[in-house]
Each structure stands twice: as C-alpha cells, then as structure tokens.
Amino acid sequence: MLIGRISQFLIKRSIHISPRLNQAMGIDGNTILAESLKKQGVEYVFGIVGIPVIETALAFQSAGLKYVGMRNEQAACYAAQAVGYLTGKPGVCLAVSGPGLLHCIGGMANAQVNCWPLIVIAGSCPQDHEGIGGFQEWPQVESSRLYCKYAARPPSPRLIPLHVEKAVRLAASGRPGVSYLDMPGTLLMAEADEDKVPMDFYNAPPVALAHPNPALVSQAADLLAKAERPLIIVGKGAAHARAEDEICKLVENTKLPFLPTPMGKGVVPDESEYCVSTARTQALLKADVILLLGARLNWMLHFGQQPRFAPDVKVIQVDISPEEFHNSIKSEVAVHSDIKPFTAALTQKLAEKKFSLQPASNNWWQGLQQKQKANTEFVQAQANNKTLPLNYFAVFKAVQANIPKDSIIVSEGANTMDIGRGMLLNNKPRHRLDAGTFGTMGVGPGFAIAAAMWCRDYAPEKRVICVEGDSAFGFSGMEIETMFRYKLPVVIVIVNNSGIYSGFPKDVMEDIQSGGDITQCTPPTALSCEIKYEKMMEIFGESGHLCRTVEEIEAALKKALAVTDKPSIINILIDPSSNRKPQTFNWLTESKL
C-alpha cells in the first residue's frame, strides 16, 4: 500500500510514524478523524505537516481524502475555503500546533467574513504538557473563537465523530463560515475500541432550503412593479446558493437591469444585455428600488447610503441570515429565505402581473445605456492604446481576447483587481475568486490551487488564470512550487507596475534613493523596478515569459495555455503611473463622523 511505503520512508528518515494505523485491536485518533471527515463528505485537505500531524495527513490519504501540501499555512487556509465555495462542501486546512495555527488566523477571518465554508484542524500540545511550557503550547481553542462559528477540542477519541459532524454542519449550514477542531498529540495517538466508536455518529440529509413568506414575496413584487428605476444587485451569496438558473430566468423575463458584486459575476452572464456594470455609479445613484439577492450593504456597496445612493431608495433585502437585515439602512422589505425559492416565487408573481421593462422605450433603461456607451468608449480608447509602457486597460484587453472562454479568473491587487473586474468577463457562476469582502491580500495563489484541483476533478476542460499585481504576488509567490509538485496548469499573469497602487520608473527610483537615508527617501508605495518574476520558473527547469507589448502578451498566453501539466508565469511590465478611470466619488464612502 502507498501508505505503508510512505510510512517506511519516513521511519528511515527518523520521523516517528505510529504503528497504530495498522493495529487490529483498536483504532487511533488519527484514523477516527480521517474516517469521520470522509463519512461527512469532506473531499479536500490543504495543509502543512509537522509534529503532531504528520500521521494525521497520512491517515487522511489512507481514508481517500485528497491532501495537498502547501508552503504556508495562510495559503493552505485560503485554498481550503476557496474549494469550499467551489464545491459547496467545506474544505479542510490542516496545521501544526502554536505558530502553525496562528498563521491560519488571517485565512480563518477571511473565510468567516467572506461567508465560505471552512474547517481548520490543528494539532496541539500534548495534554499532559499543558501548563508547564509544552512545545508550541498555545490556547488554541480560545484564540480561534473570534474567527469561527464553532471551536472545540474533542474530549476523547470516541467523541471525535460527534465534533466532526458538528464542525461540518455548522461550517456549511445557514450563512457559511469556519469551524475549528483542536487535536492534541495525545488525542491523535490515543486508541479506542473500534466497535465503541460511533463513526456514523450523525449523518442527516441536507438541510431543506428556507422558503420565503408568500406575503413578503407579494410585497417585493408590488414594489418592483411600481418602481420607475428598479435595479437588481446579485451577490456572492447567490453564487454560493447555486441560484443562477432562477436569477437568469428572473432577469430574462422582467428585463430588469442588474449589477453583480465582484464574486456575484457570472450568476447572470457578464455579457448579458441586461448587465449594467459599465454604468455602476449611475445605476446605484439613480435607482429608486433595489432588489438585493445574496449581497450585503457593506463597504463594497457603500452601505446603501448617500451620496452613492438616492436618499429615498427602497431596498428589498433577501438573505439567509436575518441578522443582516437593517444593518446600515432600514430595508423596505426584508425576506428571510434562501435565494433560489425566493427568486422562483418572485418571478412567478411578476409574471402574473405581466411585468416587464422594455429597454428600447423605458426612460430608466435609456439613461443607463447612454452612460454605458460613454464609459465603454473611454475604456476602449484606453484599451486600444498600445503606447509603451502599456496601461492596465491594454493589458486586460489582450488577456481577455486570448484566454479560453469561461476560464476561472483569480484576481488580486489594487488596480489590477479593480480594472480587471470590468474587463475580464465571467459568464458562469463561481468563476471569479478575488480579495473579497475582507479585502485580503495574498489569496491569489491559494485560490488558484484550489480552483485547479477542482477543475482537475470536475471540469478538466477549464483553465485557471491567476491575475496578480506584483505586490499581491509577493505575499504567496512560493506556492508556485506547490503548483509544480501537483502538476497544476495555472497560468499566472503578473501585472507589474513596480509598486503598491503605483510605482516609479527605474531612473526616477534611482534618483529618489540617492537623496539620503534610503529608509526615509524610498516612497512607501514603491517596489523594486522591473523585477523579473518570470525567472522563478527557472528554479524548476522551465522558462517564464517577460512581456512589454501586446504582441508579446498574445504569444506568451498561447504558449502558456498549451501546457497542461505545470504552471506558467507571464510577467507584464506596465507603466508605473498607470491608473484606473477617474471616479465621480471616492472609492470608499466617507465616514460621517
């Protein structure tokens, strides 16, 4: 068996492997944990091993779980939550004790704020060493509670299945989030009689979808039908709810304009004639009734407040979590429901009213279309500008034109992510992964690894395109080794402006740094100029691509996409001062204090 060969190899390397994995008399904590996860439908584990979880990872593989060894616990945590979003089943992040778990905290917070299902399992100090300075001793359960829906340490091997079931159920049910399980080395090595371990502790059918109050559906339909300037906002929650068919039908039947949030893109295709993303500011500012489907009125939607929204706007808020209602403004109609049944019921109600806008004659639609035309002309002018060094728009036009349709787009960085959101199209749901609600940097490579693993198993025809700013890539760039080790054909596109937000040309940077103490004269937003990130490929005996022109970008993408068993890096040097389109408002609604 593979597990036996790996164990023997590790024993020769003086790494202790418990003989209990194969004992017939009892079953140890590692095996109980692995089998419990398997029985609860968990499929993927991402992690980094060390004391006391080396045997745990081996037990996971023996049980049939897919284990991906990463280079950093944060990246492992990002990968596990992304695979949870893509599959609907929690991914697992496995970490060692103390610092290993603490490295996961950023990822746990990101999943909790992003509402993605995740289970973090960390080894911890042996229980008989607690309180006397044990190796990597840390109050791990207490430290995790702030970032979780559920955090616990099973008191005995026999109760591991109970806590695994609860961790999986709470991570995935209602508003998804994080569960943490603490596994002391003594618990993982402890034995129990196999016939006394309730491995099938609890395995209920999926929780039934929450259906809306019919009276609230009628109120929502009446409000939309009477509106002069109605708008739908489609959020990440709708993508997680797998509500794309119902929402597409609603939009097609009613011809209502819609805006997707960043990871709501693709629930209704970006190329739909009813998508008004290119007139986002005007759509938000002028709408008199807004239907929120799985989106929150947080900073990403400017809290639903003035000056970004009309003072008298009426909001129909649909959410699986009633705690979300009325957080920043009072909603006119607040519907506690899953998105799918609500949208189906609303579509039926509006059909009964024979409600449908006519874009060719509707004043609201005509105003939006005029704004779309003006904004599109600006973007096209920028995208057609091939003057060197290139700007963001020209880069993204070349990328969009040369990647496979319906690729999964992973994106992070400031301008890289924001400008790319509008130019890299998604026509399928859950095909965009970015910094998300928490605005977390460093998520890209981990998300891309998760997406590539999902593609390998469920959609082998798809490609993963990971578009990174040079600053963003620096957070987790060594995960390129993970991609090589697992033969994942991720195409990494680095949009390199030599800075955070913006950088400086090489000659200017040299002049600035010659002016005195380098720590005081180097601009905080500056990075080293024209770094050759593509040369990281040479570590693995491969070649990357350095691009300055559109033609070089096109050639590099063609070569990278021809590779199906390893990643590629395309490093595109752009104008350090390149920026987005001037905005009517500040990107973030100002505080009123």
Side-chain angles (χ1 to χ4, degrees):
M1 291 176 62
L2 176 61
I3 190 75
R5 295 204 306 273
I6 296 173
S7 298
Q8 289 302 314
F9 176 80
L10 293 175
I11 289 169
K12 289 178 183 178
R13 298 294 186 188
S14 301
I15 298 175
H16 176 68
I17 297 298
S18 169
R20 295 184 177 91
L21 282 170
N22 295 314
Q23 284 186 351
M25 296 295 293
I27 183 170
D28 69 348
N30 282 310
T31 305
I32 295 170
L33 176 60
E35 294 294 340
S36 298
L37 290 168
K38 182 72 173 177
K39 287 182 180 294
Q40 293 299 329
V42 170
E43 188 174 0
Y44 296 96
V45 181
F46 302 84
I48 295 179
V49 298
I51 296 171
V53 296
I54 297 173
E55 298 168 1
T56 311
L58 291 169
F60 286 172
Q61 290 179 315
S62 184
L65 299 174
K66 296 173 182 177
Y67 178 82
V68 179
M70 306 282 284
R71 297 304 300 266
N72 179 283
E73 287 94 352
Q74 252 190 358
C77 207
Y78 296 143
Q81 64 194 258
V83 91
Y85 174 65
L86 291 169
T87 64
K89 297 180 291 187
V92 170
C93 176
L94 178 67
V96 301
S97 49
L101 172 66
L102 291 174
H103 288 169
C104 293
I105 292 295
M108 295 166 72
N110 187 70
Q112 188 73 355
V113 173
N114 233 19
C115 306
W116 283 359
L118 167 69
I119 297 172
V120 175
I121 298 173
S124 59
C125 170
Q127 290 159 298
D128 55 329
H129 292 179
E130 288 181 339
I132 57 174
F135 175 66
Q136 295 185 331
E137 181 181 357
W138 189 256
Q140 296 182 188
V141 176
E142 293 88 340
S143 296
S144 299
R145 289 197 195 281
L146 188 59
Y147 314 98
C148 295
K149 294 175 70 176
Y150 179 67
R153 172 191 287 181
S156 70
R158 193 178 68 82
L159 290 176
I160 288 174
L162 181 155
H163 289 279
V164 167
E165 183 280 327
K166 189 170 183 180
V168 172
R169 174 162 45 88
L170 267 63
S173 298
R175 172 173 286 177
V178 186
S179 293
Y180 172 66
L181 293 178
D182 195 62
M183 294 288 168
T186 41
L187 177 64
L188 292 170
M189 302 291 285
E191 285 188 350
D193 291 339
E194 189 167 358
D195 59 357
K196 294 182 180 179
V197 177
M199 206 68 76
D200 285 314
F201 171 76
Y202 184 63
N203 201 342
V207 176
L209 294 180
H211 283 250
N213 181 333
L216 294 178
V217 176
S218 294
Q219 289 180 33
D222 289 342
L223 202 57
L224 283 168
K226 294 174 183 176
E228 294 182 5
R229 299 177 301 280
L231 178 69
I232 300 173
I233 298 179
V234 181
K236 178 175 70 255
H240 186 271
R242 273 62 179 169
E244 52 267 22
D245 291 344
E246 289 77 9
I247 297 176
C248 283
K249 184 176 179 180
L250 171 65
V251 171
E252 290 289 337
N253 284 7
T254 63
K255 299 176 175 55
L256 284 165
F258 77 91
L259 281 175
T261 64
M263 278 188 277
K265 279 164 58 70
V267 172
V268 184
D270 281 349
E271 293 181 317
S272 167
E273 61 185 302
Y274 308 116
C275 180
V276 293
S277 289
T278 51
R280 182 180 191 270
T281 297
Q282 180 159 318
L284 295 179
L285 182 61
K286 300 294 186 182
D288 61 351
V289 174
I290 293 176
L291 171 62
L292 278 182
L293 295 176
R296 292 174 280 177
L297 289 176
N298 54 24
W299 68 272
M300 298 182 80
L301 287 172
H302 314 287
F303 315 108
Q305 298 175 356
Q306 299 181 64
R308 302 301 294 264
F309 287 75
D312 56 350
V313 64
K314 294 179 172 59
V315 175
I316 303 163
Q317 194 172 9
V318 186
D319 205 289
I320 193 60
S321 175
E323 292 85 354
E324 190 60 36
F325 297 147
H326 317 300
N327 273 348
S328 54
I329 64 169
K330 182 181 182 298
S331 296
E332 190 75 13
V333 183
V335 187
H336 180 209
S337 173
D338 277 283
I339 301 298
K340 291 179 70 168
F342 170 83
T343 306
L346 178 65
T347 302
Q348 179 62 36
K349 279 291 179 185
L350 290 172
E352 292 171 5
K353 294 175 178 293
K354 295 181 171 52
F355 171 79
S356 179
L357 297 183
Q358 299 303 319
S361 58
N362 180 269
N363 290 336
W364 171 228
W365 257 118
Q366 289 179 348
L368 290 173
Q369 288 170 342
Q370 288 173 5
K371 191 65 175 178
Q372 284 180 292
K373 183 175 183 293
N375 288 343
T376 299
E377 287 173 353
F378 171 87
V379 170
Q380 288 176 344
Q382 293 293 308
N384 291 333
N385 181 1
K386 296 185 179 182
T387 303
L388 300 184
L390 293 172
N391 65 59
Y392 283 102
F393 297 91
V395 168
F396 287 126
K397 179 181 178 181
V399 172
Q400 173 64 29
N402 289 278
I403 60 175
K405 190 177 178 65
D406 296 334
S407 295
I408 294 182
I409 307 295
V410 178
S411 184
E412 64 169 331
N415 293 333
T416 298
M417 182 176 67
D418 291 341
I419 298 171
R421 180 188 306 131
M423 298 196 68
L424 301 177
L425 302 181
N426 299 102
N427 290 317
K428 299 288 185 183
R430 299 169 296 280
H431 278 52
R432 178 180 170 87
L433 304 171
D434 67 22
T437 310
F438 210 31
T440 307
M441 291 286 280
V443 297
F447 283 2
I449 287 168
M453 291 296 300
W454 179 83
C455 286
R456 174 181 290 177
D457 294 334
Y458 294 101
E461 76 285 356
K462 287 190 183 294
R463 296 304 297 266
V464 177
I465 314 297
C466 183
V467 184
E468 299 273 301
D470 51 329
S471 171
F473 182 70
F475 281 73
S476 305
M478 269 316 298
E479 294 301 338
I480 187 75
E481 188 276 330
T482 307
M483 298 176 192
F484 266 98
R485 193 167 8 114
Y486 289 95
K487 301 182 178 181
L488 301 175
V490 176
V491 178
I492 300 173
V493 177
I494 301 173
V495 186
N496 186 349
N497 71 344
S498 302
I500 302 169
Y501 301 109
S502 61
F504 296 87
K506 190 172 184 179
D507 58 338
V508 175
M509 190 67 173
E510 289 174 351
D511 185 54
I512 290 172
Q513 292 188 311
S514 67
D517 185 336
I518 198 167
T519 64
Q520 294 190 330
C521 65
T522 301
T525 61
L527 299 174
S528 297
C529 298
E530 298 194 356
I531 292 296
K532 305 300 189 291
Y533 294 104
E534 78 285 352
K535 288 189 175 292
M536 291 179 69
M537 295 289 289
E538 295 178 13
I539 303 172
F540 309 98
E542 301 293 336
S543 297
H545 308 274
L546 178 66
C547 302
R548 296 179 187 271
T549 69
V550 167
E551 292 74 19
E552 288 171 342
I553 295 170
E554 293 170 346
L557 283 167
K558 183 176 181 179
K559 289 180 181 178
L561 291 166
V563 177
T564 58
D565 63 349
K566 61 178 72 73
S568 304
I569 295 179
I570 300 173
N571 183 22
I572 305 173
L573 301 180
I574 69 166
D575 182 353
S577 63
S578 179
N579 212 323
R580 72 185 80 183
K581 176 181 178 288
Q583 295 176 288
T584 305
F585 296 95
N586 290 330
W587 72 276
L588 184 62
T589 299
E590 294 290 337
S591 170
K592 292 177 173 55
L593 296 178

